[in-house]
Amino acid sequence: MFRPTLIILFSSLLLGFHEAAPHSAGSRSILRAVSGSGDGNDGSVEYGVELNATNFDSVLKETPAGFAIVEFFAHWCPACRNYKPQYEKVARLFNGPDAVYPGTVLMTRVDCALKINNELCDKFSVNHYPILFWGPSSKFVTTSWEPKQKNSEVHEIEHEQTAEDLLGWINKQLGSSYALDDKNFENELLPSNVSDSEQISRAIYDVEEATATAFDIISENKMIKSEKRASLIKFMQLLVAHHPSGRCRQGSARVLVNFDELYPSDALIKGQERTRADGKSSFSDFSICGKEVPRGYWMFCQGSKNDTRGFSCGLWVLLHSLSVRVDDAECHFTFTAICDFIHNFFVCEECRQHFSDMCSSVATPIKTTRDLVLWLWDTHNKVNLRLMKEEASLGTGDPKFPKSIWPHRLLCLSCYSPHGRRRNRLSDVDWNKDEVYRFLTQYYGRTLVSLYKSSSLLQIEGTSLEELVVSTNAVVGPMGAALAIAMASCAIGALACYWRLQQKNRKYYHHTL
């Protein structure tokens, strides 16, 4: 794009330069905006994600963004410094928690002046600064680039010297009409969860985000106490068996199999977390859904204001997705695992108490998947009705996503009884519950994961997930309930799982449901 001359290089050397420290490889905030530029302490925000050789492949492989731009630059280069504000104007549309179009294009930067990046910059034949490349995100991992190379999915972006030029180039590639003055959520392309049933497929990333965020909250607030230990283990067993994300199942299994070592019961009885003098990981160091999650933004669950939807929406989607995946034999275990988890680990006191009251109102065990799915759906609608009234009186609702009874007629017309009388109150809707159940199982089941790249249960260091579930003392609940959860991820049947349980010769914790 721009070719620095010898005069520019010489003047830069006279001005002096310093080698900035690269971002750590495992930084979970790598996809978030970075406060402070490193060029000064002005508190400015950088939206271009600075990568290095240690995290380049993992970030570009795991990002939900379909396309990426990589800018190769040198921190001593005046042309690079002059171009940076232009790049940042575009990056703020796509990167960071306040992105206008999150999950569309990941905009990154690599400093070729750092020795750690020498091989990476050579891989892309970087011969001038700055130079920008465009391509599918995953192709940057498997592709190198050479000048005049043909038939490559990674392309050099040429002659785009201003923010307007660069965004125009992106619009041409995507067939979009993004503008630099677009504001967060003030665009016509904001996804709707009301009229398009396929939008839920984007929520797989939000389910991962909500799962990681929930465990971050638990760790940061030191909420793992002796009286809460069993309920956390039960919920993690549920995640290992039925989380819709393969990598969250893997991460949950890793934590579960190490739970006794990380949080031995004797230390918890004293109300103390175990300190690790040997340098090994603590609970907070485990990346339950992958080292780049949470990413810091939402896709399906993005609200029209920063303080709406987001985590609460993602958590609801997770709970619904779990409910449609369990078998009849697991239903009451799942019900109590969800209720106990919210009661012990959801930090919004009023919400937690309301949810616990609705759990307590269930007088008899839940025996079928249908009953569990419809109870959770009805509970969610009751929460929406309560919040609808509060938000209307306080003016705190989301104008683009107002609380409503769900599903909307545009999503599931058959869910509404054709013979039902018109009601003045939303709470008096005549539902066709068979159709509601059919819709929920499809919506939170197959449709939710329709764009998810991962398939089936994966192996973890040569050990299958069903072995991980049953190889720890952290098994709670009646033996039948614990076995039901283990069976859900077992590929060789109940007898093999039961045999493994018997062979472990461990002490199990029992908890009356």
Side-chain angles (χ1 to χ4, degrees):
M1 182 185 299
F2 309 110
R3 300 181 181 275
T5 65
L6 291 176
I7 295 176
I8 292 176
L9 175 59
F10 181 69
S11 63
S12 300
L13 292 173
L14 289 177
L15 291 172
F17 58 87
H18 64 279
E19 181 167 293
H23 290 279
S24 62
S27 172
R28 290 189 305 174
S29 62
I30 196 69
L31 298 186
R32 304 180 185 185
V34 181
S35 295
S37 63
D39 295 327
N41 297 320
D42 57 359
S44 59
V45 176
E46 294 184 359
Y47 294 97
V49 178
E50 190 161 330
L51 303 179
N52 59 51
T54 63
N55 58 25
F56 184 87
D57 286 356
S58 62
V59 171
L60 288 166
K61 182 178 180 180
E62 295 181 12
T63 177
F67 293 92
I69 293 178
V70 180
E71 177 198 9
F72 291 96
F73 74 103
H75 60 256
W76 49 257
C77 166
C80 299
R81 289 198 294 267
N82 291 337
Y83 183 64
K84 184 176 180 180
Q86 303 296 317
Y87 192 75
E88 290 292 321
K89 287 180 182 179
V90 179
R92 70 102 188 160
L93 295 174
F94 303 104
N95 291 3
D98 300 324
V100 185
Y101 307 105
T104 306
V105 180
L106 177 65
M107 298 190 63
T108 68
R109 311 172 78 232
V110 175
D111 188 351
C112 291
L114 303 182
K115 292 182 180 179
I116 191 176
N117 296 326
N118 284 353
E119 291 186 6
L120 177 59
C121 294
D122 288 343
K123 176 182 176 181
F124 288 88
S125 305
V126 176
N127 57 8
H128 62 273
Y129 307 126
I131 182 172
L132 275 64
F133 292 99
W134 163 277
S137 302
S138 60
K139 295 300 180 181
F140 282 95
V141 179
T142 58
T143 303
S144 59
W145 184 87
E146 297 179 1
K148 299 181 181 180
Q149 181 178 355
K150 297 181 179 180
N151 301 322
S152 174
E153 294 187 69
V154 173
H155 306 282
E156 180 183 355
I157 303 176
E158 298 181 344
H159 311 302
E160 313 304 337
Q161 300 186 16
T162 67
E164 290 78 6
D165 293 338
L166 179 58
L167 186 57
W169 198 92
I170 293 173
N171 282 331
K172 183 177 180 181
Q173 303 304 310
L174 299 179
S176 54
S177 56
Y178 303 144
L180 291 175
D181 58 355
D182 286 352
K183 298 293 175 60
N184 202 0
F185 317 114
E186 295 180 5
N187 60 81
E188 297 300 325
L189 300 178
L190 189 67
S192 171
N193 63 348
V194 172
S195 60
D196 185 357
S197 62
E198 297 300 318
Q199 288 294 342
I200 190 65
S201 62
R202 297 162 58 89
I204 188 65
Y205 299 109
D206 292 350
V207 172
E208 293 178 332
E209 187 83 3
T211 304
T213 300
F215 281 88
D216 274 357
I217 292 171
I218 292 171
S219 178
E220 291 167 2
N221 290 278
K222 303 185 185 304
M223 300 174 71
I224 308 176
K225 309 298 182 182
S226 57
E227 67 274 13
K228 299 180 178 181
R229 186 172 189 264
S231 64
L232 182 60
I233 292 169
K234 285 167 55 179
F235 190 73
M236 294 189 68
Q237 288 176 327
L238 186 60
L239 298 186
V240 171
H242 296 299
H243 199 291
S245 162
R247 56 184 173 185
C248 291
R249 292 196 297 272
Q250 285 184 311
S252 299
R254 292 181 193 276
V255 174
L256 190 59
V257 78
N258 289 283
F259 200 93
D260 289 333
E261 180 182 1
L262 296 173
Y263 287 93
S265 57
D266 57 344
L268 287 170
I269 291 174
K270 299 176 183 178
Q272 298 175 348
E273 294 186 11
R274 183 173 182 177
T275 57
R276 302 303 305 267
D278 55 6
K280 294 183 179 179
S281 296
S282 65
F283 178 81
S284 60
D285 294 325
F286 274 83
S287 302
I288 201 161
C289 290
K291 61 184 177 180
E292 305 302 342
V293 180
R295 307 172 186 91
Y297 61 81
W298 305 92
M299 296 179 70
F300 173 82
C301 286
Q302 185 184 35
S304 66
K305 298 192 294 186
N306 290 335
D307 57 350
T308 60
R309 305 190 80 214
F311 175 61
S312 60
C313 167
L315 188 59
W316 272 116
V317 176
L318 171 62
L319 299 183
H320 286 298
S321 71
L322 293 172
S323 74
V324 303
R325 285 171 168 76
V326 300
D327 295 327
D328 288 350
E330 305 168 277
C331 284
H332 197 66
F333 179 93
T334 302
F335 168 75
T336 57
I338 290 174
C339 288
D340 290 348
F341 181 79
I342 297 298
H343 177 74
N344 288 309
F345 300 106
F346 196 70
V347 293
C348 173
E349 176 62 24
E350 182 179 4
C351 302
R352 182 191 66 79
Q353 188 58 54
H354 279 292
F355 194 90
S356 295
D357 290 344
M358 287 185 285
C359 289
S360 300
S361 68
V362 179
T364 58
I366 293 180
K367 297 181 179 180
T368 68
T369 304
R370 182 182 185 276
D371 290 343
L372 175 64
V373 170
L374 291 178
W375 175 83
L376 190 62
W377 159 77
D378 183 60
T379 297
H380 195 170
N381 270 339
K382 289 177 179 177
V383 170
N384 279 351
L385 277 172
R386 177 176 62 83
L387 294 178
M388 190 189 311
K389 296 175 182 177
E390 293 180 5
E391 292 174 355
S393 63
L394 299 173
T396 56
D398 190 320
K400 286 188 178 291
F401 295 95
K403 293 290 188 294
S404 64
I405 293 301
W406 195 87
H408 193 277
R409 289 178 182 272
L410 292 175
L411 274 179
C412 183
L413 180 59
S414 61
C415 291
Y416 293 75
S417 175
H419 306 295
R421 292 179 298 170
R422 289 187 176 273
R423 305 286 187 173
N424 293 325
R425 296 192 306 163
L426 290 174
S427 56
D428 292 332
V429 173
D430 287 314
W431 296 103
N432 182 335
K433 292 190 177 180
D434 288 336
E435 285 299 303
V436 171
Y437 176 61
R438 181 198 61 77
F439 168 79
L440 293 171
T441 54
Q442 174 68 30
Y443 191 74
Y444 290 110
R446 289 183 292 273
T447 309
L448 175 65
V449 298
S450 63
L451 294 185
Y452 193 53
K453 299 176 183 177
S454 180
S455 58
S456 69
L457 295 173
L458 302 177
Q459 298 288 313
I460 301 178
E461 298 175 356
T463 305
S464 62
L465 285 183
E466 68 268 16
E467 293 173 320
L468 288 174
V469 172
V470 301
S471 65
T472 173
N473 279 334
V475 175
V476 299
M479 188 60 65
L483 180 59
I485 292 296
M487 286 169 57
S489 63
C490 186
I492 59 176
L495 290 177
C497 285
Y498 181 75
W499 181 85
R500 284 195 181 97
L501 283 169
Q502 297 293 77
Q503 296 300 312
K504 295 302 175 182
N505 193 25
R506 291 174 174 262
K507 296 179 181 179
Y508 292 92
Y509 296 97
H510 294 269
H511 177 72
T512 303
L513 294 178

